[in-house]
Amino acid sequence: MKAQAAGGGISSARVASALVSLLCFAAGGWVAAQHPLSPMLALAGFYTLTVAAAWWPGLWLFAVPAGLPFLNFSPWTGWLIVDECDLLLMGCLAGGYARLALAPRHGERRTMHWRDPGNWLPVALGLAGLLALWRGWVAADVQEPSFFQAYTEPMNSLRLAKALLWAVLAIPLLRDALRHAPQATGRRIAGGMAAGLAGVTLVVVWERLAFPGLFDFTSRYRITAMFWEMHVGGAAIDAYLALASPFVVWALRSARGPWGWTAAALLAVLATYASLTTFSRGVYLAVVAPLLLLGGMLWLQARGLDPLAVSQRFWHWLRPSNWRSRAGWLLAAALVLEVFGVLNGGSYMADRVAATDRDLDSRMLHWQRGLSLLKTPSDWLLGKGLGRLPALYASGFSEGGLSGSLKLQTEAGADGTTHHFVTLSGPQTDDDLGGLFALTQRVTVAPSERFQAYLHLRVTAPANVPVNIVAQVCERHLLYNGRCQYAYARLAPAGGAWQDVRLFLRGRLLGGDPWYAQRPVLFGLSVLDLGASVDIDRIGLSAQDQRQRLLNADFQQGLARWFPAAQTYFLPWHIDNLYLELWIERGLLGLLLVLALVACALWRVLLGRARHHVLAPYLAASLSGVMLVGLVSSVMDVPRVAFLLFWLGFLALQLPARKAGARVVSPGG
């Protein structure tokens, strides 16, 4: 079966491209206009990006993988459902499709073979994704849509659906780029991956320098970089490192001279450090094993060209007179010493290794509970719906309740105006989880300041029972506290009336860190009691100068500037397995389609028509790495990382074939 589209005139392809461009442009502009921090700046950035993507067709290939690890400002915006990465993708899509709609066709004729998985798999995945989105949406309680909704609310379905949507929409742009500039396309994508990874590793170095210390491998501290989705735990950075690490090898091989190679070698050292300081056994496997695969593929690629030339090149690489050879051996020795130093320089990883059997038992129980949520044949086949896992798990098991929750509320005031407030709740099922969930906001402090907090609130549940709360100002990047000031209060129900509370915080003084390791500071408020909740409509925080340190303190801008964050306990939010995650929310249909995507992509770059392509080894290592880390971690609950998985999978399916006898262009050429 073949579908054909001829160029010339106003074709259906041009009309479709124009329509997609307009939809992405309108959607991106609307989202940017809602930006909690600066709508005008967001709009200006979005429009500039759209024009740039239309004018420079290769820009998005570098900008997307380079910007993806950073373009999420949720701790400042309060957004959970959309983020700045969505604006990046919508701008690139709007500009790219506009270029496709307006570019001259020159009478070219393109044939599409539906037997090719690269043509039918994205369609099938997209339809299955829409079905899972619909099932998740209708299964949730009806609520007013909001970008501030939590992961147990209906909009979480849209949050998870968008990764596949953006990746599918990017396929025509990938095809166009590979058709017109195949070598430059590969360089831009690989360069963007390396640039994004470089930025992540620098943030990791700062994070560890500011908190546990660069060489402290005993303290219980696991990195998060700027993957704010980990505010409820998860493995966002684990999956990202598995996807991006193979491109360090690309950077080393594409370096043109000693200075470029030195920069790539530094990236290798930093990426190894970042992987090691996740203290994740899954990351270690997901990085090392694919790198072995990558090395084997690079060797086979070269051997397929000319065995004699390969042997000569190998001998030339080993010769002492070759600076790249000597530097390569030095880098290998440095990486081995780095691994040895981290794993033997402290007790944290040793403790994790010793607890492997116990961790596996708890994971097995967790996985069994997750699968038990599938109760009907339609559940097994089609899943419970996108985004439904946290809500179903939290309500389905007495040991699986949330450590707290946050909900934006509105009610009519006495003067007829709309009154905004939030309901902050304590743990659902376990008293020991009190204080592990907080409403937070980043604040600026000066050394030697002591704080006091002012709260206007009412106790709502349970009736006639006092509620304990704690307010804290702590040095904290995301998951772990440094120095803190705190105050506890016991609140009487007061018949459900609003009451004012003033808290004087005690504890260690904050600040005074060196300029290169300044610790961010968070204000946090938690409810400690089981089943208890309070309504809050105003919060104040000040020091000796009496200056209000909190923004949107009365919640009249919704949850802008506010960010819910958990610590230590993350069980209900993740199933800790990519395959079960897919099965529970997308059903057997969704699981098999994603596995088919990865399997077809790996076949194409390992044994199929694209196995001789210069990007094939890196894509094979990247995709196999994320599937390995998915054995013990969730992946799809982080849209930025899920998009990268789908995007690289679709890229592998679109790579042009290269005959075994053809010359393989060097990575940088």
Side-chain angles (χ1 to χ4, degrees):
M1 180 179 179
K2 298 181 180 180
Q4 298 180 343
I10 303 178
S11 66
S12 59
R14 288 179 182 273
V15 173
S17 296
L19 181 59
V20 173
S21 177
L22 288 173
L23 288 174
C24 290
F25 186 75
W30 180 75
V31 171
Q34 315 300 314
H35 199 276
L37 303 185
S38 177
M40 292 305 296
L41 183 60
L43 280 168
F46 174 74
Y47 293 150
T48 301
L49 175 65
T50 301
V51 173
W55 190 264
W56 292 290
L59 174 66
W60 76 283
L61 297 167
F62 179 88
V64 167
L68 179 144
F70 310 102
L71 287 177
N72 181 311
F73 303 130
S74 292
W76 295 270
T77 64
W79 275 353
L80 295 181
I81 305 304
V82 297
D83 54 45
E84 292 73 15
C85 188
D86 295 310
L87 292 177
L88 169 69
L89 291 167
M90 284 188 282
C92 290
L93 290 169
Y97 273 98
R99 183 177 46 79
L100 287 184
L102 298 174
R105 300 285 175 164
H106 302 299
E108 66 185 42
R109 187 179 183 87
R110 180 167 163 267
T111 302
M112 182 178 292
H113 298 273
W114 288 103
R115 290 173 294 180
D116 185 347
N119 294 323
W120 64 264
L121 252 179
V123 175
L125 276 165
L127 292 175
L130 289 175
L131 177 60
L133 169 62
W134 177 78
R135 286 177 64 84
W137 186 273
V138 300
D141 296 332
V142 177
Q143 297 181 30
E144 182 179 353
S146 168
F147 292 156
F148 300 111
Q149 284 190 7
Y151 299 152
T152 56
E153 297 179 277
M155 290 288 284
N156 193 41
S157 299
L158 178 63
R159 183 182 76 91
L160 299 188
K162 64 188 182 182
L164 178 57
L165 170 64
W166 303 144
V168 170
L169 288 177
I171 291 175
L173 304 185
L174 278 175
R175 287 175 174 162
D176 183 69
L178 288 168
R179 184 166 62 249
H180 290 99
Q183 295 180 22
T185 296
R187 288 197 302 272
R188 289 162 181 160
I189 292 174
M193 293 293 296
L197 178 60
V200 168
T201 61
L202 291 176
V203 175
V204 166
V205 169
W206 165 83
E207 182 183 354
R208 286 194 55 84
L209 194 63
F211 284 90
L214 206 58
F215 302 109
D216 180 352
F217 306 122
T218 298
S219 299
R220 187 183 184 277
Y221 191 99
R222 301 179 68 182
I223 58 170
T224 58
M226 292 185 68
F227 288 97
W228 309 116
E229 296 90 342
M230 297 177 71
H231 69 120
V232 288
I237 196 168
D238 299 18
Y240 176 78
L241 289 172
L243 282 163
S245 291
F247 292 92
V248 175
V249 180
W250 174 88
L252 287 165
R253 297 187 72 236
S254 64
R256 291 299 190 182
W259 287 109
W261 191 93
T262 300
L266 178 60
L267 174 59
V269 172
L270 293 177
T272 301
Y273 180 83
S275 298
L276 289 170
T277 52
T278 63
F279 294 103
S280 169
R281 293 152 293 192
V283 170
Y284 297 170
L285 174 64
V287 170
V288 173
L291 287 179
L292 296 176
L293 171 65
L294 173 58
M297 287 191 67
L298 291 173
W299 181 80
L300 287 174
Q301 267 194 354
R303 187 172 182 269
L305 294 175
D306 185 349
L308 180 59
V310 171
S311 63
Q312 292 173 346
R313 187 176 305 172
F314 183 72
W315 170 248
H316 179 72
W317 181 70
L318 288 176
R319 284 191 306 166
S321 60
N322 186 345
W323 71 265
R324 191 181 289 267
S325 172
R326 293 196 302 270
W329 285 113
L330 287 174
L331 175 59
L335 295 179
V336 170
L337 289 174
E338 184 180 17
V339 171
F340 180 82
V342 171
L343 297 185
N344 292 278
S347 60
Y348 184 30
M349 192 61 209
D351 293 342
R352 287 185 56 77
V353 172
T356 298
D357 290 342
R358 184 174 67 253
D359 289 349
L360 182 59
D361 291 340
S362 63
R363 280 183 189 271
M364 291 296 293
L365 177 60
H366 186 41
W367 294 341
Q368 290 169 3
R369 287 174 175 169
L371 277 177
S372 70
L373 296 173
L374 303 175
K375 301 184 182 301
T376 67
S378 63
D379 288 347
W380 286 91
L381 180 62
L382 303 177
K384 303 296 291 188
L386 281 179
R388 297 302 300 148
L389 174 62
L392 293 172
Y393 195 99
S395 62
F397 308 102
S398 58
E399 301 88 353
L402 299 171
S403 56
S405 61
L406 178 70
K407 187 176 180 60
L408 181 65
Q409 310 268 27
T410 58
E411 65 181 12
D415 57 357
T417 60
T418 300
H419 176 220
H420 295 269
F421 63 95
V422 297
T423 298
L424 180 64
S425 302
Q428 289 182 330
T429 58
D430 189 346
D431 266 322
D432 293 337
L433 302 181
L436 297 183
F437 181 91
L439 170 65
T440 73
Q441 184 176 135
R442 292 178 176 257
V443 296
T444 302
V445 304
S448 304
E449 289 187 316
R450 290 202 175 275
F451 292 92
Q452 51 186 322
Y454 308 86
L455 308 172
H456 188 60
L457 50 76
R458 66 185 177 192
V459 178
T460 56
N464 302 319
V465 176
V467 172
N468 294 284
I469 64 171
V470 59
Q472 301 181 77
V473 177
C474 292
E475 297 170 339
R476 179 171 164 188
H477 177 61
L478 186 62
L479 299 179
Y480 302 94
N481 290 339
R483 293 164 291 195
C484 286
Q485 295 180 26
Y486 56 90
Y488 294 88
R490 185 174 178 85
L491 307 175
W498 291 96
Q499 52 185 300
D500 292 303
V501 178
R502 175 178 292 186
L503 302 174
F504 295 92
L505 279 62
R506 300 180 178 181
R508 302 175 63 184
L509 296 176
L510 312 179
D513 301 304
W515 64 268
Y516 55 84
Q518 290 285 329
R519 293 181 173 183
V521 176
L522 265 68
F523 167 80
L525 185 67
S526 301
V527 174
L528 303 179
D529 301 303
L530 181 67
S533 60
V534 295
D535 291 339
I536 309 165
D537 79 341
R538 189 168 63 253
I539 304 177
L541 180 72
S542 64
Q544 294 91 329
D545 59 5
Q546 299 299 310
R547 178 170 56 89
Q548 166 69 295
R549 303 301 175 87
L550 300 175
L551 300 171
N552 187 29
D554 58 1
F555 305 103
Q556 293 312 296
Q557 300 174 42
L559 285 171
R561 303 282 185 168
W562 295 98
F563 192 56
Q567 292 179 289
T568 307
Y569 172 83
F570 312 117
L571 196 66
W573 285 285
H574 315 277
I575 199 62
D576 292 329
N577 186 286
L578 166 62
Y579 308 93
L580 294 183
E581 175 186 33
L582 289 166
W583 198 344
I584 293 169
E585 293 199 337
R586 302 171 191 249
L588 188 60
L589 173 64
L591 170 62
L592 291 178
L593 284 173
V594 173
L595 291 180
L597 168 65
V598 176
C600 290
L602 287 175
W603 176 269
R604 186 174 179 83
V605 295
L606 283 171
L607 302 171
R609 300 178 63 193
R611 66 186 181 278
H612 298 290
H613 195 280
V614 67
L615 275 185
Y618 307 102
L619 292 176
S622 181
L623 293 172
S624 59
V626 75
M627 300 308 285
L628 284 173
V629 86
L631 292 171
V632 291
S633 302
S634 297
V635 175
M636 293 295 164
D637 55 358
V638 185
R640 289 188 286 169
V641 176
F643 165 80
L644 201 55
L645 188 161
F646 286 125
W647 190 58
L648 294 179
F650 292 149
L651 172 63
L653 292 181
Q654 304 303 324
L655 284 183
R658 185 186 298 275
K659 296 181 180 180
R663 184 176 69 91
V664 175
V665 181
S666 66

